[in-house]
Each structure stands twice: as structure tokens, then as C-alpha cells.
Amino acid sequence: MPFISASVDTFFVVTAAILTPTALFLRRQPSPLLTLRNALTFAVVFHSLSVLYTIILRWPPNIFRRLDIPLTTPSETIRTILLRHGGLPEATPLPKPLDALLTRLSSFEMRTLYVRFGQTVIQDCEYCSTFDEYLIFAAPRIALGYLKAAAVLGLTTIRGSGHERYRTYAVAFLVAAFIVECYWIATTPIGIPRDGRNVFMWHDNLWLLRHLLFLLLPVGVHALPRSAPSPNPAPLLTAARLQLTKTHHQLVSTRFVHAAMQRQPTLRAASSEWWERQRVEGEWARTDEHVRHAAEKLGKGIQEGVDGPAGRLSQKTKETLRQMLEGLGIVTA
């Protein structure tokens, strides 16, 4: 025996079944409770409960399923059954929206639109009379649900969540689902048996599939493996700035060291000897055919006067070094 009603009791049981494992999971985490991941978990749980509330307690109305009558039941018969269920006299007028719905259901074409768009659209759109008008009236309502789901996915995949790379795929999947649903609603043929029973209610079933998608997609994205957090560039930039500053000071002091070396005979002789040794060793390397051949293969040719890549590299290197030395004041143009 239900305590309140079967639907409300079911919702309470489902809520307890979701909140209890969530609370146990968060309690066992060694990290602090107030983290971005836990906040996103709370958001996904709240969204899931909201969707479940809609599925369990706000199922779209369907007068034929509620009364368990064939779709081909005449409007006057439906009116009589409604008054009988309500315990009212047969002359009692029905509420205006319900009376307008029964008046519209006098047309067989309107009953096919009822299967396609649902009772709410047929009942609420007072000015609609054709298929296109009902479609224009129903599409924004469907799109609003998808926009809400896209907003939840955007929140689930915000920067720092570890799921940023899934945002494009999840939103694209939502857009594809919206297009497929609209296409299905607009083009699916409606078949009504002669007895009017066992009619596949396209609106109600697509509504259920849509909300199941809204329920499962954010949970699935949030449960996917998280990517490694991107490193903070601030320490790297600080280290690079310090290294560049140190290098700049060393390069600036080079011209003073060069001038001081020229004033000391011992240092001047040692410097001349070192540069002469480097010149001789460099000449050996440049005159060696094997070294020159290997350098040309690597695109670092050292032969002067060549128009190929190696020659251009040599000229570019000399020009860069000359500009650096002129900027430091070591040599003059």
C-alpha cells in the first residue's frame, strides 16, 4: 500500500537510492569536501533527480491511455466516460481546455497529430489547425529541453573538470539527437488499427527516450576518465625569464671581458693561442671531404659560395652572428 501515491513513493525510493551511494562516495574521499569535482558531482546528481522527477511525476498527459480506451473512441463517448469517472452528471460542462480538446478530436487527422505531437500541444495551441503550425509550436519546447541539457554538459566539462575534451562530442551528440527527433516526428507515418488499440504513441515514447538521454549523458560524461591537469605555466615562465636575464647580463659583460683581455699581455696571448687553435681545427674539418659530405647530407653545408640549402644556412648563420656582435658592441659594422 503506497504511503502517498505510487509515483511519489517511487520517486522517494529512487532519490534515496541515488543520494545514499553519493554520500558514501564523498565521505570516503581523502581530499577536502569542497572541491570542483565534488561540486560537479552535486550538480550532476541534482540534474539527475530533476530529470527523474519529470519522468516519474510529470509524465505527459494522454487521455486515451489514462482511460484505457481505443484511439478511435468518439468524442462524445470520451466525454461521457470522463464525467462518469468524475462522478458528475452527464449535463455537467467540462473544463474549457478539455472541452476544446474533445472538439478537435472529432477529426481523424487531428488524432494522428495527437499521436505525433501529444496531448499538451494539441490542447494548448489554440490557433493551430495544420501540421506545420503544430510542428512550429512543438519544436521550441523540444529545443528548450536540449538547451538545458547542453548547459548541464557545459557545466560538467568546464575548465579544470578534466573532461574538457568531451564537450564537443557530447554537445554534437545532443544536436544530432535533436535533429533526428524532429525528423522522426515530422516524417514518421502514423498507423492506427481498425479497432484503435495498441497504437504506438510516438510523442510519449520519444519524450521518454529524450529524458533518458538527458539523464544518462551528463552522468556518463562525468564518469569518464579525467585527463591530466594542464601544468601551470607561471613557474616555467618565471624560470625562463630568470635564465634570459642571466644570459643577457653575460652577453653584455662579454664586451668588457674582451676589452680587459686585450689589456693584459698574458690573457691576450692565451686568447690568441686559443683562437688560433680553433682556427686550425676548424680548417681541418672544413677541408676534410668526409666531414663536408656529411654536413651537406644533414642540410648544414659549410662550403661557401653554394646556392643550395647548405650555402644559405652558412650565410644566414654568419649574418645572425654579425648582428648579435654588433648589438653587443663587440664589433662594428
Side-chain angles (χ1 to χ4, degrees):
M1 178 178 180
F3 291 97
I4 303 177
S5 68
S7 299
V8 176
D9 292 351
T10 302
F11 176 71
F12 284 154
V13 171
V14 172
T15 301
I18 293 176
L19 292 181
T20 302
T22 303
L24 293 176
F25 172 75
L26 295 177
R27 185 178 179 181
R28 293 179 179 178
Q29 285 188 348
S31 59
L33 183 63
L34 297 178
T35 61
L36 178 60
R37 179 169 176 80
N38 291 343
L40 294 178
T41 301
F42 283 126
V44 171
V45 170
F46 177 78
H47 171 73
S48 301
L49 293 177
S50 175
V51 176
L52 287 173
Y53 174 83
T54 302
I55 295 176
I56 297 174
L57 298 177
R58 299 184 62 186
W59 189 271
N62 190 318
I63 192 173
F64 296 99
R65 285 189 173 179
R66 183 64 180 270
L67 300 177
D68 192 20
I69 57 178
L71 187 65
T72 54
T73 304
S75 298
E76 291 301 323
T77 305
I78 299 176
R79 188 188 309 272
T80 303
I81 295 175
L82 287 173
L83 293 175
R84 187 185 307 156
H85 274 262
L88 300 174
E90 294 187 1
T92 304
L94 294 174
K96 185 178 179 180
L98 191 57
D99 187 71
L101 173 65
L102 295 179
T103 302
R104 294 186 177 186
L105 290 179
S106 301
S107 169
F108 180 79
E109 180 182 0
M110 195 61 62
R111 301 204 177 204
T112 62
L113 296 178
Y114 184 97
V115 175
R116 193 184 299 273
F117 296 110
Q119 178 176 324
T120 303
V121 173
I122 303 298
Q123 184 173 317
D124 293 349
C125 187
E126 298 180 356
Y127 63 87
C128 297
S129 59
T130 63
F131 170 83
D132 294 337
E133 291 174 343
Y134 281 112
L135 180 61
I136 294 174
F137 184 82
R141 298 188 176 191
I142 299 174
L144 181 60
Y146 280 96
L147 287 176
K148 292 179 181 179
V152 174
L153 287 174
L155 178 64
T156 309
T157 57
I158 60 174
R159 181 175 299 178
S161 64
H163 299 126
E164 297 89 343
R165 65 182 186 275
Y166 302 122
R167 175 180 297 178
T168 302
Y169 302 105
V171 174
F173 188 79
L174 272 182
V175 173
F178 172 71
I179 294 174
V180 170
E181 182 176 356
C182 290
Y183 176 79
W184 212 297
I185 292 175
T187 61
T188 299
I190 304 299
I192 300 178
R194 186 177 296 274
D195 59 357
R197 292 192 175 274
N198 300 322
V199 178
F200 189 85
M201 293 292 179
W202 282 101
H203 169 267
D204 296 355
N205 289 282
L206 289 176
W207 182 91
L208 177 60
L209 292 176
R210 184 196 320 145
H211 283 79
L212 289 177
L213 175 64
F214 297 163
L215 173 66
L216 298 177
L217 188 58
V219 175
V221 172
H222 187 65
L224 288 174
R226 301 177 64 191
S227 58
S230 55
N232 187 4
L236 298 177
L237 293 177
T238 303
R241 183 177 62 83
L242 294 176
Q243 186 62 33
L244 289 174
T245 302
K246 180 180 179 180
T247 304
H248 173 70
H249 292 162
Q250 291 176 348
L251 292 175
V252 170
S253 64
T254 301
R255 57 177 178 175
F256 299 107
V257 174
H258 180 73
M261 289 174 58
Q262 298 302 317
R263 296 190 185 98
Q264 297 291 331
T266 305
L267 294 177
R268 184 169 61 248
S271 175
S272 300
E273 180 183 356
W274 187 85
W275 284 110
E276 180 63 22
R277 185 168 63 253
Q278 294 298 317
R279 186 191 65 79
V280 172
E281 293 177 357
E283 187 67 26
W284 290 345
R286 287 191 294 272
T287 56
D288 190 287
E289 292 295 334
H290 297 287
V291 175
R292 293 170 60 180
H293 184 66
E296 290 176 1
K297 284 187 175 181
L298 296 174
K300 299 180 180 180
I302 57 178
Q303 184 178 2
E304 298 183 0
V306 180
D307 295 333
R312 286 198 299 268
L313 179 61
S314 178
Q315 295 296 327
K316 184 177 180 180
T317 303
K318 289 183 177 181
E319 183 65 22
T320 303
L321 289 175
R322 185 184 63 80
Q323 293 177 0
M324 291 177 59
L325 294 176
E326 288 180 359
L328 296 173
I330 298 177
V331 297
T332 58

